[in-house]
Amino acid sequence: MNKYICDICGYIYDPADGDPDSGIDPGTAFEAIPEDWECPECGVRKDQFTKL
């Protein structure tokens, strides 16, 4: 699974870690995250992320 970086603030979404504070379990691929998920650092939507 690929990591993705927020184009705005540099937050890196790592599927191994997920985003438990937002209800995204560890092991969740970026592609499987709901479209309305927001960056936990700056609040932009997932379309503002780029694959690393």
Side-chain angles (χ1 to χ4, degrees), residues 10-51:
Y11 168 81
I12 296 175
Y13 175 77
D14 185 343
D17 298 331
D19 182 14
D21 291 340
S22 297
I24 308 298
D25 293 329
T28 302
F30 187 79
E31 296 81 7
I33 296 173
E35 291 300 318
D36 63 350
W37 175 79
E38 297 177 346
C39 175
E41 296 291 324
C42 71
V44 298
R45 299 283 175 131
K46 67 183 268 190
D47 64 350
Q48 296 292 309
F49 280 71
T50 303
K51 183 166 63 170

